[in-house]
């Protein structure tokens, strides 16, 4: 055996030893039990009363009826509370928050600045009860660094899936808009594309960089500073190329889409989910159901921009005009989608609205006709399927991550209780305990 082979063998032996030690330590992790007075273990199923949740390490070990207190276990008393799975927000932008300087942040902040901003917003999101989130659109270096830091336990925040910047047509909603031409040439998005081949290239670069999901801007957007409307902006062959390239590389594709032409063209191309969906119609509902696609309504964003259009000085005229047109339509869209029986996963677009107020979205869903239990399901069982993690999160069951939240009032009687969580555990670690 040569020197290189000997060194490699030694490294592999050390790695195997370390792995065995880690597995052994995991098996010996201390036990924590949670006494849950009212447990919504699987949203959509019956509430269970007086239940013990056994947590070992970062996983749920067992869920049993009655209050058990095994010898040596740490006991968390939530016997008067309503206990639920940690919530999942399928559409956030952790690196920023809307305001007067938002349009200029790309010119004055570097990725390290953005990552630190994201860390602060991630903590607010976690403390609001959201233990998993999907960040769909932002600086790639900053958001992947934040995702990995949270995964390593260096930064408190929700478990993240990230897209990085959106695949967008040149000049589209995900590109730079509203500045001098020479500035826009310098700061054009690297994932702006033209034609099927170029759009495949953009998808592949995102996958190479570590994107968990591919986001595209299938239509114009409300807060891009351009008078390009909110209808379809990609050609059909470009949409088909994006979806095919992503699926070949094991990634789902979600589309920012307000206008019905973009919604339906993307779904016809085999897309997996729609963010916003403001002007969906009967054909859209048929396509959603045919594809098994998900709608992420972001009703909070519609409410927020409609309010800001009347008061905010930071909005440009293009933004103000589209906010007044689109924002007020979104609550009725949720009602039509719910009545149409399509899959709905919870998503807020937080970063447009303030971080940490994510649970306002629950109230809007109830206003649109959902029962409180149906609204809770969008942020748990539904969203876990949407982000491809239904085997790990979304319910309180043995084997899943110990992501658990609690409130002191009945959210099935008053959904606004979820805006004031009293207990948050993620991965078996308690972050909020009041």
């Amino acid at each position: 055996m040569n020197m290189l082979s000997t060194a490699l063998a030694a490294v592999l032996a050390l790695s195997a030893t370390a792995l065995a030690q880690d597995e052994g330590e995991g098996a010996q992790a201390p036990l924590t039990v949670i006494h849950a007075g009212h447990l919504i273990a699987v949203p959509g199923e019956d509430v269970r009363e007086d239940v013990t949740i056994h947590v070992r390490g970062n996983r749920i070990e067992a869920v049993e009826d009655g209050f058990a207190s095994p010898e040596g276990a740490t006991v968390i008393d939530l016997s008067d509370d309503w206990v639920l799975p940690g919530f999942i927000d399928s559409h956030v932008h952790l690196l920023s928050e809307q305001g007067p300087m938002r349009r200029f942040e790309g010119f004055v902040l570097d990725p390290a600045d953005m990552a630190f901003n994201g860390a602060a917003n991630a903590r607010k999101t976690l403390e609001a009860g959201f233990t998993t989130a999907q960040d769909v659109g932002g600086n790639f270096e900053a958001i992947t660094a934040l995702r990995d830091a949270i995964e390593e336990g260096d930064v408190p925040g929700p478990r993240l899936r990230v897209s990085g910047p959106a695949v967008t047509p040149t000049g589209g909603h995900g590109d730079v808009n509203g500045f001098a031409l020479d500035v826009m040439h310098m700061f054009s998005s690297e994932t702006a594309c033209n034609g099927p081949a170029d759009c495949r290239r953009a998808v592949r670069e995102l996958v190479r960089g570590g994107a968990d999901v591919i986001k595209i801007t299938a239509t114009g957007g409300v807060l891009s500073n351009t008078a390009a409307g909110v209808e379809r902006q990609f050609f059909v062959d470009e949409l088909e190329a994006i979806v095919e390239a992503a699926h070949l590389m094991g990634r789902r594709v979600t589309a920012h889409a307000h206008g019905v032409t973009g919604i339906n063209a993307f779904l016809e191309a085999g897309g997996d989910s729609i963010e916003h969906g403001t002007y969906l119609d009967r054909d859209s509902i048929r396509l959603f159901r045919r594809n098994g696609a998900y709608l992420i309504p972001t009703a909070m964003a519609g409410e927020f921009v409609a309010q800001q259009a009347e008061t905010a000085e930071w909005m440009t005229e293009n933004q103000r005009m589209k906010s007044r047109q689109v924002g007020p339509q979104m609550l009725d869209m949720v009602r039509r989608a719910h009545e149409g029986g399509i899959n709905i996963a919870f998503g807020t677009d937080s970063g447009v609205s303030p971080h940490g107020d994510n649970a306002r979205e629950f109230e809007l869903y109830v206003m649109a006709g959902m029962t409180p239990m149906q609204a809770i399901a969008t942020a748990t069982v539904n969203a876990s399927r949407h982000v491809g993690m239904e085997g790990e999160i979304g319910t309180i069951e043995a084997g899943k991550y110990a992501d658990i939240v609690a409130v002191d009032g009945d959210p099935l009687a008053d959904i606004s209780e979820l805006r004031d969580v009293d207990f948050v555990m993620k991965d078996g670690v308690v972050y909020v305990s009041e």
Side-chain angles (χ1 to χ4, degrees):
M1 183 179 293
N2 61 34
M3 186 176 296
L4 180 59
S5 299
T6 302
L8 180 58
V11 169
L12 291 173
L14 286 170
S15 299
T17 300
L19 181 60
Q21 289 174 344
D22 287 344
E23 291 176 347
E25 289 170 3
Q28 299 302 316
L31 178 66
T32 296
V33 296
I34 298 172
H35 292 170
H38 315 278
L39 177 64
I40 303 176
V42 181
E45 298 184 2
D46 290 342
V47 178
R48 296 172 63 177
E49 305 292 332
D50 298 345
V51 177
T52 300
I53 305 165
H54 296 249
V55 174
R56 196 180 296 275
N58 67 345
R59 297 277 179 171
I60 297 167
E61 189 174 75
V63 182
E64 65 171 324
D65 292 331
F67 291 150
S69 301
E71 185 178 352
T74 299
V75 178
I76 296 174
D77 183 9
L78 300 177
S79 58
D80 293 327
D81 294 304
W82 289 75
V83 180
L84 308 93
F87 304 134
I88 305 159
D89 192 329
S90 303
H91 187 132
V92 300
H93 300 281
L94 290 178
L95 303 182
S96 62
E97 192 166 284
Q98 202 56 245
M101 290 301 296
R102 176 67 188 92
R103 289 182 61 223
F104 305 101
E105 287 178 357
F107 306 106
V108 297
L109 299 181
D110 62 27
D113 296 318
M114 295 178 187
F116 276 109
N117 288 342
N121 294 329
R123 180 159 201 143
K124 292 177 185 177
T125 305
L126 177 61
E127 291 177 349
F130 290 82
T131 53
T132 301
Q134 188 154 273
D135 190 289
V136 283
N139 179 275
F140 209 3
E141 184 179 351
I143 196 60
T144 53
L146 179 60
R147 174 195 63 190
D148 296 347
I150 292 171
E151 181 66 23
E152 292 296 320
D154 298 327
V155 174
R159 183 180 300 102
L160 288 183
R161 288 171 47 86
V162 305
S163 72
V167 178
T168 179
T170 295
H173 176 59
D175 201 3
V176 62
N177 288 289
F179 295 96
L181 280 174
D182 56 348
V183 172
M184 290 193 289
H185 284 305
M186 291 176 61
F187 286 89
S188 180
S189 172
E190 293 182 359
T191 51
C193 62
N194 301 284
D198 194 30
C199 290
R200 293 188 190 100
R201 183 269 316 163
V203 170
R204 288 166 174 161
E205 288 190 359
L206 288 168
V207 173
R208 179 179 65 181
D212 301 302
V213 61
I214 301 300
K215 179 191 178 182
I216 75 168
T217 56
T219 72
V222 172
L223 294 180
S224 47
N225 186 23
T226 177
V230 293
E231 289 297 334
R232 178 166 66 90
Q233 295 187 340
F234 273 116
F235 290 102
V236 170
D237 60 352
E238 293 171 325
L239 291 171
E240 292 172 344
I242 290 167
V243 172
E244 182 181 23
H247 286 177
L248 284 173
M249 300 186 82
R251 299 300 189 275
R252 301 183 187 190
V253 190
T254 194
H256 156 105
H258 288 288
V260 68
T261 55
I263 294 169
N264 292 358
F266 176 72
L267 292 174
E268 287 279 13
D272 300 295
S273 54
I274 294 285
E275 315 285 333
H276 314 306
T278 308
Y279 293 103
L280 59 80
D281 64 7
R282 290 182 180 178
D283 285 338
S284 312
I285 292 171
R286 174 182 59 81
L287 290 166
F288 269 107
R289 295 177 66 170
R290 185 194 75 181
N291 290 13
Y294 278 80
L295 170 70
I296 299 85
T298 67
M300 280 181 66
E303 178 183 60
F304 181 80
V305 298
Q307 293 170 347
Q308 292 293 297
E310 306 308 321
T311 60
E313 296 182 358
W314 55 263
M315 274 193 174
T316 67
E317 285 310 305
N318 287 326
Q319 293 172 327
R320 198 179 308 278
M321 173 187 66
K322 290 181 288 183
S323 295
R324 286 171 171 159
Q325 291 173 348
V326 175
Q329 308 299 320
M330 296 184 76
L331 198 61
D332 185 62
M333 172 271 297
V334 181
R335 178 188 60 76
R336 289 183 283 117
H338 175 58
E339 291 177 352
I342 67 178
N343 298 320
I344 296 177
F346 186 103
T348 61
D349 211 353
S350 290
V352 173
S353 54
H355 294 285
D357 197 26
N358 309 58
R360 168 63 177 162
E361 188 87 3
F362 288 116
E363 298 175 13
L364 296 174
Y365 292 173
V366 171
M367 289 170 61
M370 293 187 196
T371 66
M373 184 68 90
Q374 288 170 333
I376 292 166
T378 68
T380 51
V381 290
N382 293 13
S384 70
R385 297 188 192 111
H386 165 57
V387 301
M389 297 186 69
E390 62 269 34
E392 304 285 347
I393 59 176
T395 62
I396 297 177
E397 296 179 289
K400 294 197 173 181
Y401 286 121
D403 294 354
I404 299 166
V405 302
V407 293
D408 61 11
D410 179 0
L412 302 181
D414 181 2
I415 196 68
S416 68
E417 290 286 347
L418 300 182
R419 294 183 75 176
D420 183 21
V421 297
D422 300 295
F423 176 86
V424 178
M425 170 184 281
K426 179 209 161 196
D427 273 339
V429 177
V430 177
Y431 289 91
V432 175
S433 183
E434 297 181 1

